[in-house]
Amino acid sequence: MPTSSSWPRTYLNWKRVLLLSLKCVYFMLAVKFSQKCLAMSIKSRLAQGQRQGVQQRSQRRGVALT
């Protein structure tokens, strides 16, 4: 049977473990969110570059035809 003096310490240890695990989960969510934002940014830049390339090619064709 545990003594009364060991209960508060055990409670505090579990509280610290829970807090640390919540911090880890929060950190992992923040990392995932930043990765998704970075991926979306890269995709939008690539799409924008492709649109500009298409516009430049169509302008060149227009100049070449006239």
Side-chain angles (χ1 to χ4, degrees):
M1 185 106 182
T3 62
S4 62
S5 64
S6 68
W7 282 106
R9 188 174 62 214
T10 305
Y11 172 74
L12 287 176
N13 286 342
W14 277 108
K15 191 175 180 181
R16 286 180 186 165
V17 168
L18 181 63
L19 186 62
L20 180 63
S21 63
L22 288 175
K23 286 181 181 180
C24 289
V25 168
Y26 175 75
F27 178 74
M28 289 189 313
L29 287 174
V31 168
K32 277 286 188 188
F33 179 73
S34 65
Q35 285 176 343
K36 286 187 178 185
C37 288
L38 183 62
M40 286 175 31
S41 172
I42 290 171
K43 285 180 183 178
S44 68
R45 284 188 183 186
L46 287 175
Q48 184 180 6
Q50 287 176 351
R51 282 193 302 266
Q52 288 177 352
V54 168
Q55 288 175 353
Q56 289 174 354
R57 282 191 294 260
S58 65
Q59 288 174 355
R60 283 189 218 141
R61 287 182 189 154
V63 171
L65 291 175
T66 58

